[in-house]
């Protein structure tokens, strides 16, 4: 595994994002909507640095079906909090083609929040197929398949405290046996 972003750099980056959010929202209450499962680690780190009143809501979206190829996006918002009239920050692990964030944002707009901003942990430069871009991104990365800090390959590696690029030797099939 080649390390792309070290643990210390990640923590500095997340602190900087929290500062930017304080500048923008001040003491106003914020509803953080996190796209599962990839943004789980970012969510846990970010909310502990936020000082305004924070509500947390989870939403599930899947596009990459376990492997490395993109498929249709499935959204499960059955456990969403009421966000009508609220300031919402939607967070995701990575902005790749941008489809996930655009589709989830559109879904949330129907719930009539006061505002929606988007923050991603990683922004893959040059791959976006949509006009929108995230309001905040912690790191820009080149076009490589990365894992760690919430991001998986076949549901593994999410627990790595750093971001790594998978190498040939990591790519063998993982079987439970
Ligand atoms: P988008 O809809 O922007 O193309 O894709 C976003 C989703 O694709 C992310 O939430 C993530 O699940 C997955 N994805 C995109 N690029 C990568 C990557 O380099 N590594 C991993 N592990 N997932 C990725
Ligand atoms: Mg994801």
């Amino acid at each position: 595994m080649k390390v792309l972003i070290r643990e210390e750099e990640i923590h500095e980056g997340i602190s900087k994002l929290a500062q930017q959010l304080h500048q923008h929202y001040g003491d106003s209450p914020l509803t953080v909507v996190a796209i599962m499962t990839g943004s789980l680690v970012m969510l846990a780190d970010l909310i502990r640095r936020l000082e305004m009143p924070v509500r947390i809501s989870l939403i599930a979206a899947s596009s990459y079906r376990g492997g490395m190829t993109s498929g249709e996006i499935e959204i499960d918002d059955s456990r969403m909090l009421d966000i009508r009239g609220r300031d919402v920050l939607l967070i995701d692990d990575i902005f790749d083609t941008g489809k996930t964030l655009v589709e989830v944002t559109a879904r949330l707009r129907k719930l009539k929040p006061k505002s929606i901003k988007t923050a991603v942990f990683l922004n893959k430069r040059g791959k976006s197929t949509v006009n929108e871009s995230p309001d905040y991104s912690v790191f820009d990365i080149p076009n490589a398949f990365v894992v760690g800090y919430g991001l998986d390959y076949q549901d593994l590696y999410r627990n790595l405290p750093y971001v790594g690029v998978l190498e040939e030797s990591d790519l063998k099939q993982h079987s439970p046996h």
Side-chain angles (χ1 to χ4, degrees):
M1 180 87 53
K2 190 172 149 255
V3 177
L4 188 66
I5 311 173
R6 288 179 299 109
E7 192 173 353
E8 303 76 48
E9 296 176 77
I10 293 175
H11 291 146
E12 281 168 29
I14 298 290
S15 293
K16 208 179 118 201
L17 172 59
Q19 277 172 23
Q20 291 175 305
L21 295 171
H22 286 137
Q23 272 167 23
H24 181 74
Y25 294 103
D27 296 331
S28 304
L30 183 63
T31 302
V32 179
V33 177
I35 303 179
M36 288 294 107
T37 305
S39 67
L40 180 68
V41 182
M42 176 191 187
L43 174 70
D45 280 349
L46 179 63
I47 57 173
R48 285 177 293 171
R49 291 174 172 85
L50 293 179
E51 289 168 10
M52 67 282 274
V54 167
R55 302 194 312 158
I56 297 155
S57 189
L58 306 181
I59 194 167
S62 40
S63 59
Y64 279 57
R65 306 207 140 274
M68 286 186 172
T69 47
S70 188
E72 287 304 295
I73 291 159
E74 236 172 53
I75 300 173
D76 175 2
D77 62 357
S78 55
R79 308 195 52 154
M80 271 290 295
L81 291 181
D82 185 4
I83 58 168
R84 180 178 290 264
R86 302 277 184 168
D87 286 317
V88 169
L89 180 73
L90 176 63
I91 67 172
D92 200 7
D93 52 1
I94 188 165
F95 189 85
D96 183 19
T97 66
K99 276 191 210 158
T100 305
L101 217 59
V102 164
E103 292 201 16
V104 175
T105 305
R107 178 77 66 99
L108 295 185
R109 274 193 211 294
K110 293 185 184 153
L111 304 173
K112 306 262 186 269
K114 179 174 159 203
S115 70
I116 305 186
K117 286 202 174 283
T118 55
V120 295
F121 175 54
L122 303 176
N123 191 355
K124 250 189 216 181
R125 281 289 162 183
K127 274 204 69 190
S128 168
T129 58
V130 297
N131 291 325
E132 293 85 345
S133 53
D135 296 300
Y136 302 97
S137 45
V138 181
F139 297 101
D140 287 338
I141 60 162
N143 185 16
F145 190 84
V146 294
V147 295
Y149 200 73
L151 291 135
D152 74 306
Y153 173 64
Q154 296 187 347
D155 300 312
L156 292 171
Y157 303 110
R158 293 193 199 273
N159 56 314
L160 295 179
Y162 54 85
V163 173
V165 178
L166 285 184
E167 289 171 300
E168 209 55 47
S169 55
D170 303 307
L171 287 177
K172 53 187 181 310
Q173 276 287 330
H174 297 280
S175 103
H177 307 292

